[in-house]
Amino acid sequence: MSVYYHKFEVRWSDIDANRHLGNSTYVDYCSQTRMAFLNKNKIGLTQLNRWGVGPVMLHERYSFFKEIYADQTVFVGLEVSALSEDGSIYQFVHKFYLPDGTHCATAEATGVWIDMMLRKTTAPPEDIMEVMNSFKSESVQTISKEYLKTLPFRPENINSDIFK
């Protein structure tokens, strides 16, 4: 089991009106951590394009414990907390830490790998599975498509006439 950490220097533009790290910045930091993780493990855009697959996030949720301010350094961790048997569905846990080890926030992100041509969920190549397996948390769960039905929101289409 390994944890990947990505370092950020908090910029003025990362701060909100309350003078702490803005909510959208947490999302951006998690996304950048995931892409840095993939790049570091030789799963960058070039490889993803060659394989014809891409990661898609379906759901993210956050818990905040301590404020993060401008000019601080923050480390964002990544662990695989859940994975389907074929690897097509995954869940990452991101933990935000100050350099002294203070735990400031946790995010959970659930996603799928998609075939970029078919735009459908697909199992990733073995190279991706090897990396995902090496970053599994100690308490990793096995999930399935049924798990996706338990996510808190479902589509609810409405009559578009209300927009006119």
Side-chain angles (χ1 to χ4, degrees):
M1 190 244 356
S2 296
V3 179
Y4 173 80
Y5 292 99
H6 192 71
K7 180 181 177 180
F8 293 91
E9 302 296 331
V10 180
R11 306 167 303 171
W12 173 251
S13 60
D14 296 334
I15 302 303
D16 66 12
N18 293 318
R19 298 186 312 235
H20 60 211
L21 201 64
N23 286 25
S24 62
T25 305
Y26 283 92
V27 176
D28 291 343
Y29 281 14
C30 287
S31 180
Q32 182 59 38
T33 298
R34 289 190 294 271
M35 291 314 296
F37 164 75
L38 293 175
N39 283 328
K40 178 158 175 117
N41 287 284
K42 297 178 178 61
I43 308 173
L45 289 176
T46 301
Q47 293 87 349
L48 293 173
N49 287 334
R50 184 168 34 92
W51 293 320
V53 299
V56 175
M57 299 317 302
L58 301 177
H59 181 74
E60 292 184 68
R61 64 182 177 176
Y62 293 79
S63 293
F64 305 99
F65 314 123
K66 181 167 177 44
E67 293 176 301
I68 299 171
Y69 300 106
D71 299 323
Q72 285 189 299
T73 299
V74 63
F75 293 90
V76 180
L78 178 150
E79 287 182 276
V80 177
S81 59
L83 197 59
S84 63
E85 287 187 19
D86 69 354
S88 63
I89 306 166
Y90 56 86
Q91 190 172 77
F92 294 127
V93 167
H94 298 286
K95 294 182 181 176
F96 289 68
Y97 295 101
L98 297 178
D100 68 0
T102 300
H103 185 187
C104 299
T106 296
E108 178 187 83
T110 303
V112 296
W113 291 100
I114 65 165
D115 180 303
M116 296 299 287
M117 293 295 287
L118 300 175
R119 310 306 287 182
K120 303 272 185 198
T121 302
T122 189
E126 188 57 38
D127 294 10
I128 292 176
M129 284 302 295
E130 286 177 23
V131 172
M132 298 290 276
N133 284 326
S134 68
F135 283 88
K136 285 181 180 178
S137 71
E138 292 178 5
S139 59
V140 69
Q141 297 177 342
T142 301
I143 54 177
S144 67
K145 286 187 179 182
E146 292 302 311
Y147 172 80
L148 297 179
K149 294 177 183 175
T150 69
L151 295 177
F153 304 109
R154 306 291 304 155
E156 298 174 17
N157 297 334
I158 61 173
N159 185 329
S160 63
D161 290 343
I162 68 167
F163 302 128
K164 297 177 183 169

